[in-house]
Amino acid sequence: MQEQILIQSKIEKGDFTRGGEVSSSLKDILRKLGVPSDTSRRVTIVTYELEMNIIIHSLGGEITVLISSEQIKVIAEDQGPGIPDVEQAFQPGYSTADDFVRGMGFGAGMGLNNVKHYSDQLTVETGQGKKSKFIASVYF
Amino acid sequence: MKKHSVLLKEELCEGCTNCVKNCPTKAIRVHNGKAMIRDELCIDCAECIRICAYHAKHSQTAEIADVSSYKYPIALVPPSFYGQFKGLNPARVRVALYELGFKEVIDVSLAAEALSRKTSEFLASNPGIYISSSCPVVVRLIKILYPELTGHLIPFKAPTDAMGEKARKDAIAKGVAPEDIGVFLLTPCPGKNTNIFDPVGIENSPIDKTIAVTQAYQAVLAALEKTQDVAEEDLPVPYLGLGWGQSGGEVQLLHEQVQDYSLSVSGIHRVRALLNELSRNNIKGVRYFELSACEFGCVGGVFNVVNPFQARSDLRRLRAKGKTMIEQNEGYDFDLPGKFEPLQIGRLDGDLEKAMEKLTQLEEEIAVLPGLDCAACGAPDCKTLAEDIVTGVASRTDCIFLLRKQMGDLAETLSALLYELPPVMKKEKTDGKVG
Ligand code: SF4
């Protein structure tokens, strides 16, 4: 199957009231398509984090989700201002001294760290003062 | 085969679509002025029973009279049941149940206490996030709408099931013939009744019949009149386990360390909102979720007689009498024989490529529909009607706005036709002369 667009949506900077809308509709679409539930969960999480990343950290942007026979690809592009230190942005944001919570597995990471964790492949183009582009793939 | 406990009394249905809009799985449509429930989507949550002003939705269970059809009837009493008697001593209520013919009257709270211990131990040694699988409606909801979360359901039987199995086993060990045993659950909800013919997580239900609280209530009141109070020692009450009858009671019985990382949510729509967040990994720092389909937990079940506010407060007061869990020789088997499996429901097509084509059609239909979500078509909203159109169970003219537009177009065509004259009359007027 050729690559086709599943969803494409503009996202405004700071639009928290609509945060999560894209990933919610996407989850619904994936269920209608009969995408395996594990794949669907990973794609939903990746999309949600990228969506929130645009809302919280950027000047606004767009999310596009594509599907082909091999994979689902989430593309997030924003209008800047870019990430100066990519390495640091991918650090797990959530830390606690409590072993009981560390044992959570699912749910421990935050933000971009989650995007990396739940996608099979991730490329990031960014830099200080630049627009950012994330391409995250989840294979079937 | 019987599939559901929530049913429709057709003669009472006015076709109002209140239930259609309130069903959490969008299982109801109104066709020909009557509601109909789609079996594969219904989770027996009873929201439609709650909302129907005409009382057209109902549910049937056994009655107290059925107790005598077994030689050795056993009553399983869920914690919420004790919320129905103004805080009356639970032992006293049990005496009344014996009076009604039960050979054994067993508190499900005992199994609840045992399961709480087991859950705490499990969470301490198994990493990950877990969801309580005690509410069968929540389990069904997850299997249908949140298949990606089924792996997070804790792999244990509900207290009612474990208790039922144990009660049966114990009776047989005492020498009772298996065919004489009838296990009855005094159920607060249709969801638990469905378990009898469609159990979750296990192959066969250990429960033979459920009796709705509404069916048992008056008989129990009458039996209370006839019986005397009992001494605490004779019928010890598992007070702490009684907490399970209302939302939060399950978490309250877990180890303190686990409690700090647990969350209780009740009411099907709120449970859905929570699961939406959970499915996008948007809840941090919580390891265990106690979810109940009914608001306030089991005391909010539709079969209860006393309102959930009263029942909750009475039950809380009873629970407060408990100091420690009751000593019991365990003997429960909480482990599920297999895993909870997700259900593949709501696919547009079994083939991904074909499903994609239908998705495109679906978007086209959505674009054509007015987006008012008025439900006059019998579907809960325009998107669902679009889905029904694409899957071939509805048509565009079910939408009154599209129908109206079509009629308008037709009227225009008609009136245009009206001015078209038959050929014999079609003469050009030229100054009154015939041309
Ligand atoms: S019982 Fe619940 S799921 Fe079933 S039709 Fe009624 S509202 Fe819908």
Side-chain angles (χ1 to χ4, degrees), chain B residues 4-7 19-20 22-28 36-38 41-49 51 57 137 190 268:
Chain B
H4 289 290
S5 303
V6 173
L7 309 161
C19 60
V20 173
N22 210 44
C23 171
T25 58
K26 298 185 180 172
I28 316 176
M36 50 164 256
I37 302 176
R38 295 210 175 149
L41 284 172
C42 176
I43 55 173
D44 285 298
C45 69
E47 277 307 300
C48 54
I49 295 187
I51 206 164
K57 295 283 195 338
V137 173
I268 195 85

Side-chain angles (χ1 to χ4, degrees), chain B residues 294-326:
Chain B
C294 297
E295 216 167 331
F296 288 140
C298 297
V299 289
V302 282
F303 285 152
N304 289 316
V305 173
V306 170
N307 71 68
F309 314 102
Q310 182 69 57
R312 179 179 167 91
S313 88
D314 288 345
L315 205 59
R316 281 191 163 178
R317 225 169 298 119
L318 283 175
R319 190 205 183 267
K321 291 191 183 174
K323 299 282 172 289
T324 49
M325 293 197 214
I326 281 198

